[in-house]
Amino acid sequence: MNFDYTDDQRAIKSTANEFLANRYKMEKVRELAEAGEYDDALWGEIAELGWPGIFADEEHGGQGLGQVELTILMEELGYALAPAPFLSNAAAGLMLAHAGSDEQRQGWLPGIASGERRGTVGQLSEGVAPLVPDADSAELIVLLDNGSASVVEAGDAQIERADTIDSTRRFFRVQADGGEPLEGDVDAAVARVEVALAAELVGVAQRAMEMAVDYAKERKQFDRPIGAYQAVSHRCAQMLLEVEGARAATLYASWVADHEPESLALAASMAKAYAADAGWRVTASSLQVHGGIGFTWEHDLHFFLKRARTDGSLFGSPRTHRDRVAELAGLSRSAAAAV
Amino acid sequence: MNFDYTDDQRAIKSTANEFLANRYKMEKVRELAEAGEYDDALWGEIAELGWPGIFADEEHGGQGLGQVELTILMEELGYALAPAPFLSNAAAGLMLAHAGSDEQRQGWLPGIASGERRGTVGQLSEGVAPLVPDADSAELIVLLDNGSASVVEAGDAQIERADTIDSTRRFFRVQADGGEPLEGDVDAAVARVEVALAAELVGVAQRAMEMAVDYAKERKQFDRPIGAYQAVSHRCAQMLLEVEGARAATLYASWVADHEPESLALAASMAKAYAADAGWRVTASSLQVHGGIGFTWEHDLHFFLKRARTDGSLFGSPRTHRDRVAELAGLSRSAAAAV
Amino acid sequence: MDLTLSPQEQAFRDELRAWLEENHPGSEPEGDEAAFEFRKEWQRELADARYAGLSWPEEYGGRGATLIEQAIFNEEMARAKAPMTANVLGLVMGGPVVIAHGTEDQKERYLKPILTAEEIWCQGFSEPESGSDLASLKTKAVKSNGEWVVTGQKVWTTYAHEAKWCMLVARTDPDVPKHKGLTYFLMDMEQDAVQVRPLRQITGEAEFNEIFMEEARIPDENVVGGVGNGWAVAITTLMHERAGLGFGSAIALKIAIGELMDEIRERGLDEDPVIRQRIAQIYIEAECLRLIASRGLTQIMKTGIPGPEGSLVKWQWSDANQALTELAMDVRGREAPLVDDHWTYRFLRARANSIEGGTTEILKNIVAERVLGLPRLR
Amino acid sequence: MDLTLSPQEQAFRDELRAWLEENHPGSEPEGDEAAFEFRKEWQRELADARYAGLSWPEEYGGRGATLIEQAIFNEEMARAKAPMTANVLGLVMGGPVVIAHGTEDQKERYLKPILTAEEIWCQGFSEPESGSDLASLKTKAVKSNGEWVVTGQKVWTTYAHEAKWCMLVARTDPDVPKHKGLTYFLMDMEQDAVQVRPLRQITGEAEFNEIFMEEARIPDENVVGGVGNGWAVAITTLMHERAGLGFGSAIALKIAIGELMDEIRERGLDEDPVIRQRIAQIYIEAECLRLIASRGLTQIMKTGIPGPEGSLVKWQWSDANQALTELAMDVRGREAPLVDDHWTYRFLRARANSIEGGTTEILKNIVAERVLGLPRLR
């Protein structure tokens, strides 16, 4: 047993970290967020690195790696808060790779893996998917509807911009009829998307924690760095507890996706529930450590806080996932799992 | 508007405080708790002070005062943790006074008000009342069953000792058939019992808070009183917040019982829910401040902690009361208010 | 103990209600400028009816209202969803400070235009480096040729762009310990040496401003309470602010809870046991803080001194309001991140509740040290 | 990253499982004395199969097991509900300390009887005045005629009434700063100058003892690790204790969660949405702490140094176990206060979880200072 990255995985992590730190400096992130845009040139570079297809088979143009490697990238993307259509495209890729037919995979995966013909995924509520990331630049949209999924070509859908609190990601309201159903195990594929989101949340929380810790070392009040006060230092310790718990749960779920898929449903719900709470609590707690300055638009923290809150409600709220954990851990299905 | 005691109420409070501090020193409380007994002579003194009938009409041998004055006594009794059949007897008195017929009042209230023929109240679950305080020394037992109530003479009931974690109060399991129904507004009477319990919880929490604060001033670690560390001082501040909230809610509910009974159901549930949580959280938090010594039998704190936890689950758990608050505050009745 | 209103209090409320029914100006127009004009006009109406500066002595245009009457006023205004006044800080802090610490000339000069919103006031206490540690502020005022020359920066200033006067605390003596050596000034905002920059918040709005002073001038007659007494003057102002705000915030919270209950019902979630537990808990906490604030008013009226209740109320309020807005997001479910005109703003805005006007950490220190008598760390 | 067991680890587990199936001694008899004899007998059987002192080098009767193998062992023992060993502290702390810091003579003398439970060990670190502040301890050891004379008091000592040897840390030099001047001794408990008094807990049980020493004697050869090195010797012991315990506690917690789920089902509460939320949250936290502990084992095996995971795991475990037992009380509803043979004990016992073996406050300090690099207060 070895709960640590392999050398290859470590290399992926450090490459991603460096690339993103270099290309998505916070000024850049802010500029894109305020314009509500992405940077196509940077997407080109990401595609060249092979990231969009990291988890896809080599025969479909991917790198043939797994969910663990995707988690490594997602965490770094969250850490950098990179405004890019990566998650949406990866989500579509995961749906096709794990719930698509051979033909669907052959038809769509290569474009997704190369980053040239992108996809996205949305969840329908009464016939409308209110929050679909990057739908305007996707060629295909996977629409989930209570355990089933179908693929719609973007041209066949009505797509309208939807403003969310997270301006670092472009969301759209999507309505479409028909589409081509995915015949495979939709739930298992969705679970992989949940894990990818959990990984992003881990990165967001990690960054918000680091910002809090750095600020606590530097900011002085009453002639002492505020990090010397337990009200602040214990708050930071709590952030570490939650970040490490979220990371451990997410890594485990990723490994399970690759090696023990029969445990994936439970592991994915645990990871998503815990990481969503951690993402929100750590970013909100970091804002409290920052005091007034953390409440200003000028400070970067709020972009992380808003991303965390938004990610938390995509693909199942913490409550929904906890209810599923209760069920999978041995309690029968709840009648009233409404929200 | 004046949210403060009158001079008379202040006098009741200071008399009660002094009497109880004098008669129920902690060694005495401990001795009684370890023996699982009360002290009849002390009960005689309490009866002479007129406390058992404080809320009862003068025509039934009481003092003709109200719920506010009962709350003052209950808080002091909780503060002293006095092992005595006061609450049980007062609960029976409140039921008779507010839900009994004229005849029932005339028959039973004088004995309760004088403390000579005591009563108690229990809640039935499937035909058995598992936790009835002081049933062995009561002459009448009011049994509540889903909104209705009936009076049973103690001689007609099966009474068995029931050990709880709270050894400062004597509990019994009671089973009885029939009994004489109370025709009045049972819910309104029960609400008064809930308020009395909330008041006891306020006193218990107040005492546990004072113990923590005193210990935090005196105990040194790393060459400083532990109360100088925010991990401890903010914990104590939280105790004050909860104690003051519980006290305000309980005083308000008491005043409402006397002057605005149409608001009593909501006010009583708010007080009981908040005071039950506060009682448990403050005593548990006080134990944490005390560290190891607070976990020893030798230290007095555990008696307060156990009383708080036990009071909290009598006459409706915090959850039940919160659900009722939701209902009374404007949300319809919950289907699944199970626990 | 008597939680009913006295006949006088009742009469005050009835009169106010009747007046409000007659004079409620409806809802604010769109646009910052128009809204501000609307608030000015509303304040003038209040002032004419002697409802602005309610607590001020009658000789200065107030009613000498008791705290209970002020609480009644705040409650009725909140219930009626009446607009804000334009000159909140002048009414709540500026006027009382001038009345308590000002010279006769100052009273003559400043009070009337506060009441009528002719002159708007803002507050210059906080600085970037001194948030919780107010006494560490660095803005310097040096006396030169009979006037004071001020250089420094202030932050978290509301209404600065509209204000004529700034209640400014600055360091006039760098050589004495930090609480001493501060002086309270009234600074004219209409001079080039004073620059105002809006400070955008995470909500996207600019509710606050930064003020930059580069050799701004203040005549000596604009010192309030004497040179070197700035700390004492500022602190009494802050205590009045807190005592007054507590009760009003409880009412605002209860109104918001009612709105969320409507939302819950509309979405058919009113039988959801988890939601019910959460909203009930917030409802109870709001009620507790209202009651603690009420008890506090009784205490102040008896002793004249604001007690610790102010700190407890502010702290509990920020916890409860944050919990409420988080619940609102959960109630909105999948759509929660979509910007609506209501809850997403409140949700983000609530993050500042535990920071503005005394962080929760500082409030806990105050409770621990001043109420419970625990030792200070520093 | 590979979370499956290696072939060796798999083989170890299979062998252990088979052995356990053969040799599980059933449940403990009633009565403290009988139960303790039973545990001794069980330990002897484990020792014969070289399952006691698993991590000890083979030359001292152990298996030189890896941390993963130890974790597997703890997990299997917990799953099989196997009894405790009689000499836990000797196996987990005493032996490793002697092996790491002891002389050859000491190894010769002490190790064997630890393994076989012939000699029971206890630990004398804590004192009434020094709980979290371990280095402030006051028990004095003075050298006189070639032996040490010890006077003082220890507390929170398990097994003291059964123990032959006490791992005692005492102050041998009062004139140097407090971490220095401590020495680690092995004290013979069988002398009149050592008195043991049971310390009753809030559960009513006496799991711990106080030890009173009034001029107790320790021969010089019973110093471990050299005079003045007591702090370093004690700290390495404590770190080993924490690394070893984390994983086992996660498993025990998961078993308890399973029992509570049974209780929930039996009471027909398995569809209750509030209960489901609470138990699921605890389930997730238990899983997180198991995973953090697993990652910690990998880390230690790579670096040889226990990381911060120990503190996180202990802290999260105490939170989760307290939440679990509180939920159990709520699940029992009206009957919760009635003393049963199971949950009321656990509920009360859990209050100590956030105190024993490092308070949560101290663990948070450790995380803040040593992991996050935040400044120390003191």
Side-chain angles (χ1 to χ4, degrees):
Chain A
M1 197 177 91
N2 177 3
F3 204 142
D4 199 1
Y5 297 128
T6 61
D7 288 344
D8 285 351
Q9 289 165 345
R10 223 183 302 274
I12 294 171
K13 186 173 173 70
S14 70
T15 304
N17 184 285
E18 274 167 45
F19 173 83
L20 293 165
N22 187 288
R23 297 302 197 281
Y24 288 98
K25 293 194 175 29
M26 276 312 300
E27 309 88 82
K28 176 77 177 173
V29 170
R30 171 177 293 271
E31 188 193 311
L32 292 172
E34 295 195 340
E37 286 171 7
Y38 296 153
D39 181 321
D40 288 343
L42 284 178
W43 177 255
E45 289 193 57
I46 288 172
E48 256 168 60
L49 288 164
W51 292 1
I54 193 160
F55 56 86
D57 297 341
E58 293 179 32
E59 63 167 301
H60 297 116
Q63 295 201 37
L65 298 170
Q67 187 86 30
V68 172
E69 286 76 11
L70 176 60
T71 282
I72 291 170
L73 290 184
M74 285 305 312
E75 185 178 332
E76 293 301 326
L77 285 156
Y79 184 87
L81 205 68
F86 186 89
L87 171 74
S88 53
N89 186 54
L94 289 167
M95 291 306 304
L96 285 162
H98 295 281
S101 64
D102 285 349
E103 202 182 331
Q104 286 165 332
R105 270 196 288 268
Q106 273 158 24
W108 290 108
L109 258 184
I112 286 172
S114 70
E116 278 159 26
R117 299 179 61 208
R118 291 200 299 269
T120 186
V121 182
Q123 266 186 305
L124 290 168
S125 294
E126 297 165 19
V128 179
L131 273 174
V132 187
D134 312 324
D136 65 330
S137 60
E139 296 199 12
L140 79 145
I141 302 173
V142 179
L143 290 173
L144 307 178
D145 195 4
N146 257 331
S148 69
S150 53
V151 187
V152 174
E153 303 216 20
D156 299 337
Q158 287 174 273
I159 298 172
E160 248 174 81
R161 184 76 193 241
D163 280 333
T164 72
I165 54 174
D166 177 12
S167 55
T168 63
R169 184 164 273 152
R170 296 164 51 82
F171 282 98
F172 299 84
R173 178 187 164 89
V174 171
Q175 206 164 357
D177 294 326
E180 191 183 318
L182 296 183
E183 308 284 351
D185 186 344
V186 169
D187 287 345
V190 171
R192 285 175 159 83
V193 177
E194 290 160 4
V195 175
L197 254 175
E200 179 169 287
L201 281 157
V202 171
V204 168
Q206 172 74 32
R207 181 75 170 271
M209 174 180 74
E210 288 177 16
M211 290 165 85
V213 170
D214 289 346
Y215 189 73
K217 287 176 185 171
E218 165 197 299
R219 166 81 168 177
K220 285 190 177 174
Q221 291 279 275
F222 306 108
D223 308 317
R224 269 206 194 88
I226 59 171
Y229 298 100
Q230 285 175 327
V232 173
S233 67
H234 285 190
R235 189 181 268 288
C236 292
Q238 179 75 35
M239 295 182 203
L240 185 76
L241 178 76
E242 298 186 21
V243 169
E244 289 298 328
R247 179 174 286 123
T250 303
L251 275 176
Y252 171 70
S254 312
W255 183 85
V256 155
D258 291 336
H259 297 99
E260 208 180 281
E262 68 278 14
S263 309
L264 177 58
L266 177 57
S269 278
M270 289 198 294
K272 180 68 182 12
Y274 195 91
D277 281 343
W280 165 246
R281 293 213 300 233
V282 170
T283 53
S285 194
S286 180
L287 196 155
Q288 183 70 20
V289 168
H290 281 84
I293 192 76
F295 190 64
T296 61
W297 187 272
E298 261 170 67
H299 198 281
D300 299 323
L301 185 60
H302 69 102
F303 292 111
F304 291 87
L305 177 124
K306 292 165 180 173
R307 169 72 70 88
R309 182 60 184 80
T310 302
D311 278 2
S313 66
L314 293 176
F315 296 97
S317 68
R319 177 171 171 193
T320 306
H321 284 293
R322 272 193 297 272
D323 201 81
R324 200 177 295 165
V325 167
E327 183 185 341
L328 295 166
L331 297 181
S332 62
R333 185 182 287 275
S334 170
V339 171
Chain B
M1 198 177 86
N2 176 5
F3 205 144
D4 197 2
Y5 298 127
T6 62
D7 288 344
D8 284 353
Q9 288 165 343
R10 222 184 302 273
I12 293 171
K13 185 172 174 72
S14 70
T15 306
N17 183 288
E18 274 168 43
F19 173 84
L20 292 165
N22 187 290
R23 298 301 198 283
Y24 287 97
K25 294 190 176 25
M26 273 317 297
E27 311 88 81
K28 176 75 175 178
V29 170
R30 173 176 291 271
E31 188 193 311
L32 292 171
E34 295 194 340
E37 285 172 6
Y38 295 154
D39 182 322
D40 288 342
L42 284 179
W43 178 255
E45 289 192 59
I46 287 172
E48 257 168 58
L49 287 166
W51 293 1
I54 193 159
F55 57 85
D57 297 340
E58 291 180 32
E59 62 167 301
H60 297 115
Q63 295 198 38
L65 297 170
Q67 189 86 26
V68 173
E69 287 76 12
L70 177 59
T71 282
I72 292 170
L73 290 183
M74 285 305 311
E75 183 177 333
E76 293 301 326
L77 285 156
Y79 184 87
L81 206 70
F86 186 87
L87 171 74
S88 52
N89 187 55
L94 290 168
M95 292 306 303
L96 286 162
H98 295 281
S101 64
D102 284 351
E103 202 182 331
Q104 285 166 332
R105 270 197 287 268
Q106 272 158 28
W108 290 108
L109 259 184
I112 285 171
S114 71
E116 278 161 25
R117 300 179 62 209
R118 291 202 299 268
T120 187
V121 182
Q123 266 187 307
L124 290 169
S125 295
E126 296 166 20
V128 180
L131 273 173
V132 187
D134 313 324
D136 66 329
S137 60
E139 294 197 15
L140 79 145
I141 303 175
V142 180
L143 290 173
L144 307 178
D145 195 3
N146 257 332
S148 69
S150 54
V151 186
V152 174
E153 304 218 16
D156 298 337
Q158 285 173 277
I159 297 172
E160 249 175 82
R161 184 74 192 240
D163 281 334
T164 73
I165 54 174
D166 178 12
S167 55
T168 63
R169 183 164 275 152
R170 295 163 52 82
F171 282 99
F172 299 84
R173 178 187 165 88
V174 171
Q175 206 163 357
D177 295 325
E180 193 182 315
L182 296 183
E183 308 283 350
D185 186 344
V186 170
D187 286 345
V190 172
R192 287 179 157 81
V193 177
E194 291 160 4
V195 175
L197 254 173
E200 180 169 285
L201 281 157
V202 171
V204 168
Q206 172 75 30
R207 183 74 171 271
M209 173 179 74
E210 289 178 15
M211 289 164 86
V213 169
D214 289 346
Y215 189 73
K217 288 176 185 173
E218 167 195 299
R219 166 80 168 179
K220 286 191 178 174
Q221 293 278 275
F222 306 108
D223 308 318
R224 267 209 195 88
I226 59 172
Y229 297 100
Q230 285 175 326
V232 173
S233 66
H234 285 191
R235 191 182 266 289
C236 291
Q238 179 76 34
M239 295 183 203
L240 185 74
L241 179 76
E242 298 186 21
V243 168
E244 289 299 330
R247 179 174 288 124
T250 303
L251 274 176
Y252 171 69
S254 312
W255 183 85
V256 157
D258 291 337
H259 298 98
E260 208 180 284
E262 68 278 13
S263 310
L264 177 57
L266 177 58
S269 278
M270 290 199 291
K272 181 65 181 17
Y274 195 91
D277 281 342
W280 165 247
R281 295 215 299 234
V282 170
T283 53
S285 192
S286 180
L287 197 154
Q288 184 71 17
V289 168
H290 281 83
I293 192 76
F295 191 63
T296 61
W297 188 272
E298 261 169 63
H299 199 282
D300 299 324
L301 184 59
H302 68 102
F303 292 112
F304 291 87
L305 178 124
K306 292 165 179 173
R307 168 72 71 88
R309 184 59 184 80
T310 303
D311 278 3
S313 65
L314 292 176
F315 297 98
S317 68
R319 177 171 170 192
T320 306
H321 283 293
R322 272 193 297 272
D323 201 82
R324 200 175 295 165
V325 167
E327 184 184 338
L328 295 167
L331 298 182
S332 63
R333 185 182 286 277
S334 170
V339 170
Chain C
M1 200 167 141
D2 182 3
L3 302 186
T4 43
L5 298 181
S6 71
Q8 296 92 310
E9 290 160 354
Q10 187 95 42
F12 174 80
R13 191 185 64 184
D14 293 345
E15 186 195 322
L16 174 61
R17 274 198 188 162
W19 185 86
L20 257 178
E21 215 153 300
E22 282 293 287
N23 295 282
H24 194 302
S27 37
E28 283 185 5
E30 299 271 318
D32 289 354
E33 219 28 61
F36 196 73
E37 279 308 315
F38 181 84
R39 289 180 185 188
K40 272 191 186 167
E41 178 54 38
W42 171 233
Q43 185 178 327
R44 273 191 291 270
E45 279 184 54
L46 286 168
D48 286 347
R50 285 197 306 123
Y51 283 126
L54 204 65
S55 66
W56 297 16
E58 302 202 13
E59 55 185 307
Y60 303 122
R63 287 186 182 230
T66 65
L67 283 165
I68 305 285
E69 285 164 344
Q70 293 171 53
I72 291 168
F73 179 82
N74 290 332
E75 180 162 353
E76 292 302 319
M77 288 291 154
R79 279 191 205 290
K81 301 196 179 172
M84 303 265 290
T85 52
N87 198 12
V88 181
L89 290 173
L91 292 172
V92 173
M93 303 179 68
V97 149
V98 169
I99 291 166
H101 301 282
T103 62
E104 281 314 307
D105 284 350
Q106 287 172 335
K107 292 177 193 169
E108 185 67 29
R109 164 68 187 81
Y110 295 109
L111 293 178
K112 182 86 190 302
I114 291 177
L115 274 186
T116 56
E118 259 167 276
E119 291 179 349
I120 304 299
W121 286 45
C122 69
Q123 185 197 52
F125 286 12
S126 291
E127 296 182 6
E129 294 297 309
S130 63
S132 293
D133 186 6
L134 185 57
S136 71
L137 50 84
K138 293 194 176 62
T139 291
K140 244 182 359 192
V142 180
K143 197 154 178 187
S144 161
N145 297 328
E147 61 178 4
W148 296 86
V149 181
V150 181
T151 298
Q153 185 188 349
K154 294 289 177 181
V155 74
W156 305 119
T157 312
T158 41
Y159 302 107
H161 53 299
E162 305 278 5
K164 166 71 176 168
W165 297 108
C166 175
M167 300 171 261
L168 183 86
V169 181
R171 189 164 303 281
T172 43
D173 185 347
D175 299 327
V176 295
K178 52 186 201 172
H179 289 75
K180 306 174 180 177
L182 299 176
T183 299
Y184 198 107
F185 296 98
L186 303 182
M187 180 177 74
D188 191 337
M189 295 289 287
E190 293 177 0
Q191 51 181 315
D192 289 344
V194 176
Q195 292 297 323
V196 173
R197 202 180 69 130
L199 189 59
R200 212 167 149 212
Q201 300 153 248
I202 71 171
T203 55
E205 295 206 342
E207 192 182 335
F208 302 101
N209 302 277
E210 289 177 291
I211 306 181
F212 298 87
M213 291 150 293
E214 189 62 46
E215 306 202 343
R217 306 284 155 158
I218 306 180
D220 197 35
E221 70 213 41
N222 285 21
V223 168
V224 180
V227 174
N229 293 328
W231 178 255
V233 176
I235 283 299
T236 53
T237 330
L238 288 174
M239 278 169 81
H240 278 278
E241 181 193 21
R242 197 159 296 160
L245 292 180
F247 204 82
S249 67
I251 303 303
L253 186 57
K254 292 201 71 168
I255 291 170
I257 291 171
E259 288 169 8
L260 182 54
M261 283 194 172
D262 291 343
E263 183 92 26
I264 288 170
R265 268 188 302 262
E266 276 162 32
R267 291 176 179 266
L269 294 171
D270 45 341
E271 296 202 357
D272 182 311
V274 176
I275 303 266
R276 287 168 72 89
Q277 288 292 305
R278 289 174 66 187
I279 189 103
Q281 181 62 26
I282 297 165
Y283 185 94
I284 295 168
E285 284 172 17
E287 194 63 13
C288 284
L289 81 89
R290 181 182 72 84
L291 295 165
I292 292 176
S294 301
R295 283 180 73 209
L297 293 184
T298 299
Q299 240 27 60
I300 303 175
M301 286 176 70
K302 288 208 169 154
T303 63
I305 304 159
E309 296 79 12
S311 297
L312 292 178
V313 167
K314 161 66 177 45
W315 162 17
Q316 174 94 76
W317 167 75
S318 65
D319 280 5
N321 197 45
Q322 289 178 348
L324 177 76
T325 55
E326 287 173 41
L327 175 56
M329 291 291 275
D330 289 348
V331 164
R332 293 180 67 223
R334 278 189 200 165
E335 292 165 29
L338 285 171
V339 174
D340 71 352
D341 53 3
H342 201 56
W343 291 111
T344 40
Y345 172 80
R346 287 188 185 190
F347 167 72
L348 293 171
R349 181 64 184 80
R351 297 323 309 171
N353 295 163
S354 48
I355 297 167
E356 58 196 335
T359 66
T360 296
E361 288 80 359
I362 293 292
L363 298 174
K364 288 181 183 175
N365 282 352
I366 292 174
V367 169
E369 291 164 15
R370 301 201 202 147
V371 188
L372 300 176
L374 288 168
R376 300 180 81 160
L377 191 56
R378 31 187 200 280
Chain D
M1 199 166 142
D2 180 4
L3 302 186
T4 42
L5 299 181
S6 70
Q8 297 91 309
E9 289 160 355
Q10 187 95 41
F12 173 81
R13 191 186 62 184
D14 293 346
E15 186 197 322
L16 174 59
R17 272 198 190 161
W19 184 86
L20 256 179
E21 213 155 297
E22 282 293 286
N23 294 283
H24 194 302
S27 39
E28 282 186 5
E30 300 270 318
D32 289 353
E33 219 29 62
F36 196 72
E37 279 308 315
F38 180 85
R39 289 180 184 188
K40 272 191 184 167
E41 178 53 36
W42 170 235
Q43 187 179 328
R44 272 191 291 273
E45 280 184 54
L46 286 166
D48 286 349
R50 287 196 306 121
Y51 283 126
L54 203 65
S55 66
W56 300 16
E58 300 203 13
E59 55 183 309
Y60 303 122
R63 289 186 179 229
T66 65
L67 282 167
I68 305 283
E69 286 165 344
Q70 293 170 54
I72 292 169
F73 179 82
N74 289 333
E75 178 161 356
E76 293 299 320
M77 288 291 155
R79 281 193 204 288
K81 300 197 180 172
M84 303 265 290
T85 52
N87 200 11
V88 181
L89 291 173
L91 292 171
V92 172
M93 303 180 68
V97 149
V98 169
I99 291 166
H101 300 281
T103 62
E104 282 314 308
D105 284 353
Q106 287 173 335
K107 293 177 191 170
E108 184 68 31
R109 165 66 189 82
Y110 294 110
L111 294 177
K112 183 87 192 303
I114 291 177
L115 274 187
T116 57
E118 260 167 277
E119 292 179 350
I120 304 299
W121 285 46
C122 69
Q123 185 198 53
F125 285 12
S126 292
E127 297 184 3
E129 295 295 311
S130 61
S132 293
D133 185 8
L134 185 56
S136 72
L137 49 81
K138 294 195 173 64
T139 292
K140 247 185 354 196
V142 179
K143 197 153 180 189
S144 161
N145 296 326
E147 61 177 7
W148 296 86
V149 181
V150 181
T151 299
Q153 183 188 350
K154 294 289 178 180
V155 73
W156 307 118
T157 313
T158 41
Y159 303 107
H161 54 300
E162 304 278 3
K164 167 70 177 170
W165 296 108
C166 175
M167 299 171 263
L168 183 87
V169 180
R171 189 163 302 281
T172 45
D173 185 347
D175 299 327
V176 293
K178 50 186 202 172
H179 289 74
K180 307 177 179 178
L182 300 176
T183 299
Y184 198 106
F185 296 98
L186 304 181
M187 179 177 74
D188 191 338
M189 296 289 287
E190 294 178 358
Q191 51 180 316
D192 290 345
V194 176
Q195 293 296 323
V196 172
R197 202 181 69 128
L199 189 59
R200 213 170 150 209
Q201 300 153 247
I202 70 171
T203 56
E205 292 206 344
E207 193 183 334
F208 301 100
N209 302 276
E210 289 177 292
I211 307 181
F212 298 89
M213 292 149 294
E214 189 63 46
E215 304 201 345
R217 307 284 156 156
I218 306 179
D220 197 35
E221 69 213 43
N222 287 19
V223 168
V224 181
V227 173
N229 295 327
W231 178 253
V233 176
I235 284 297
T236 54
T237 329
L238 288 174
M239 279 171 82
H240 279 277
E241 182 192 19
R242 198 159 294 160
L245 291 180
F247 205 80
S249 67
I251 304 302
L253 185 57
K254 293 201 69 171
I255 292 171
I257 291 171
E259 288 170 8
L260 182 54
M261 285 196 171
D262 292 342
E263 183 92 26
I264 288 170
R265 269 188 300 264
E266 276 163 33
R267 291 175 181 267
L269 294 170
D270 45 341
E271 298 202 355
D272 181 311
V274 177
I275 304 265
R276 288 166 72 89
Q277 287 292 306
R278 289 175 66 188
I279 189 101
Q281 181 62 24
I282 298 165
Y283 185 93
I284 296 169
E285 285 172 16
E287 194 64 8
C288 284
L289 79 89
R290 180 182 75 82
L291 294 165
I292 293 176
S294 301
R295 284 181 73 208
L297 293 185
T298 298
Q299 239 26 61
I300 303 174
M301 286 176 70
K302 290 210 167 152
T303 63
I305 304 160
E309 296 79 12
S311 297
L312 292 179
V313 167
K314 160 65 179 40
W315 162 17
Q316 174 95 75
W317 167 76
S318 66
D319 279 5
N321 198 44
Q322 289 177 347
L324 177 75
T325 56
E326 286 172 42
L327 175 56
M329 291 290 276
D330 289 347
V331 164
R332 293 181 67 223
R334 275 189 201 166
E335 291 165 29
L338 285 170
V339 174
D340 71 351
D341 51 4
H342 201 55
W343 290 111
T344 41
Y345 172 80
R346 287 187 184 190
F347 167 72
L348 293 171
R349 181 63 184 79
R351 297 322 309 171
N353 293 163
S354 47
I355 298 167
E356 59 195 337
T359 66
T360 296
E361 288 81 358
I362 293 292
L363 298 174
K364 288 181 183 175
N365 283 351
I366 291 174
V367 170
E369 292 164 14
R370 300 200 205 149
V371 187
L372 300 176
L374 288 167
R376 301 180 78 161
L377 190 59
R378 31 189 199 281

